[in-house]
């Protein structure tokens, strides 16, 4: 039996978070933001005064990480040390360091184990970089979302204020290069994923395409 997971992978600002959240709501599945977990580990490492550039420091934090997972508002979420970091994991401090943490193989092994265990909580829509390739290679459905670099920079800039598009694009490209160039679980398209170019499409159009593709498949079209 394949894992009852819809995997949605893609680079930063490809629109996958909003799309995945809406697909989950439409299909009555639990939404999982796997990047939030890497961000949470990065946040805690910084909170403990450790340096994420040194893998041993991150691993020392990871070893005793008091993490618990819970379901709320249609999503699987987590607390670390009894606290749910929400705004903290979206800040520049974490943005700048998270790809270093996500490149450490032992961090990926642990995060992957936690993500796989979430399948016990119910049918999932999980978004990330390696969900269809590594975390759930047997996922029932796999999508890979992308958009042109200019469009992704414009979307990300819409979430920020006072930053020009070319700077946003440079920062996204740096992160993409790190995510695609790392040796463990680099960002790539699973051979059996359906690629969706979201350039010029609204969120609703992308969600409709994904839901239709799943429903067609289930109806045997
Ligand atoms: O999707 P995001 O921007 O929140 O991801 C944060 C970082 O975590 C980003 O550098 C990529 C990394 N990541 C990963 O390596 N594997 C995942 N499954 C999800 C995110």
């Amino acid at each position: 039996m394949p894992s009852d997971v819809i995997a949605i992978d893609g680079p930063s600002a490809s629109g996958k978070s909003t799309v995945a959240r809406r697909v989950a709501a439409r299909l009555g599945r639990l939404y999982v933001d796997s990047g939030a977990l890497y961000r949470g580990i990065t946040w805690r490492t910084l909170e403990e005064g450790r340096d994420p550039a040194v893998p041993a420091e991150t691993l020392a934090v990871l070893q005793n990480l008091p993490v618990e997972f819970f379901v709320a508002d249609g999503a699987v979420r987590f607390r670390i040390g009894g606290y749910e970091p929400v705004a903290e994991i979206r800040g520049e401090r974490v943005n700048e360091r998270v790809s270093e943490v996500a490149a450490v193989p032992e961090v990926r092994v642990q995060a992957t184990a936690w993500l796989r265990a979430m399948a016990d909580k119910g049918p999932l829509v999980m978004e990330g970089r390696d969900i269809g390739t590594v975390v759930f290679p047997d996922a029932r459905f796999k999508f890979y979302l992308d958009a042109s670099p200019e469009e992704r920079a414009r979307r990300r800039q819409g979430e920020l204020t006072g930053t020009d598009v070319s700077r946003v694009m440079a920062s996204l490209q740096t992160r993409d290069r790190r995510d695609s160039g790392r040796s463990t679980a680099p960002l790539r398209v699973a051979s059996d994923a359906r690629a969706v170019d979201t350039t010029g499409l609204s969120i609703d159009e992308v969600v409709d395409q994904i839901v239709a593709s799943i429903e067609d498949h289930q109806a045997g079209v």
Side-chain angles (χ1 to χ4, degrees):
M1 266 276 279
S3 298
D4 197 2
V5 174
I6 298 171
I8 301 187
D9 289 302
S12 315
S14 55
K16 61 190 187 320
S17 299
T18 316
V19 167
R21 201 182 290 276
R22 291 201 199 169
V23 169
R26 284 263 293 267
L27 300 176
R29 287 167 170 263
L30 293 171
Y31 164 71
V32 183
D33 174 357
S34 67
L37 193 51
Y38 289 99
R39 289 172 176 274
I41 297 166
T42 306
W43 168 73
R44 180 72 177 204
T45 303
L46 292 165
E47 281 295 290
E48 292 192 14
R50 306 274 194 157
D51 181 359
V54 181
E57 300 225 355
T58 304
L59 294 179
V61 172
L62 189 69
Q63 225 161 36
N64 301 301
L65 196 73
V67 64
E68 41 168 334
F69 297 95
F70 63 101
V71 172
D73 300 328
V76 184
R77 292 160 38 180
F78 62 87
R79 292 187 196 91
I80 299 178
Y83 177 75
E84 183 181 22
V86 177
E88 292 88 345
I89 63 171
R90 303 291 156 196
E92 234 358 80
R93 190 166 78 116
V94 168
N95 277 350
E96 280 171 6
R97 311 307 298 271
V98 62
S99 40
E100 288 168 339
V101 169
V104 178
E106 294 89 339
V107 171
R108 302 203 68 84
V109 168
Q110 179 60 77
T112 297
W114 281 327
L115 294 168
R116 285 183 182 151
M118 290 177 191
D120 294 341
K121 297 188 184 292
L124 307 176
V125 175
M126 187 177 289
E127 57 126 326
R129 302 291 192 292
D130 64 340
I131 309 307
T133 51
V134 175
V135 182
F136 289 107
D138 67 339
R140 281 180 67 191
F141 299 100
K142 300 181 187 180
F143 296 90
Y144 186 91
L145 266 50
D146 210 345
S148 70
E150 295 77 12
E151 172 116 359
R152 292 195 291 121
R154 265 197 304 277
R155 286 179 189 165
R156 182 50 56 88
Q157 193 206 20
E159 299 164 8
L160 305 167
T161 43
T163 321
D164 66 89
V165 173
S166 56
R167 275 197 46 203
V168 175
M169 195 152 89
S171 144
L172 282 179
Q173 280 172 340
T174 305
R175 208 128 71 78
D176 288 348
R177 250 197 319 277
R178 285 199 205 133
D179 292 336
S180 312
R182 68 174 176 234
S183 49
T184 311
L187 173 66
R188 62 181 178 79
V189 191
S191 58
D192 51 352
R194 173 165 170 207
V196 181
D197 181 356
T198 70
T199 310
L201 296 181
S202 69
I203 297 283
D204 282 337
E205 286 169 327
V206 180
V207 171
D208 286 346
Q209 271 194 25
I210 290 178
V211 170
S213 156
I214 290 168
E215 286 173 349
D216 285 352
H217 187 272
Q218 282 169 338
V221 175

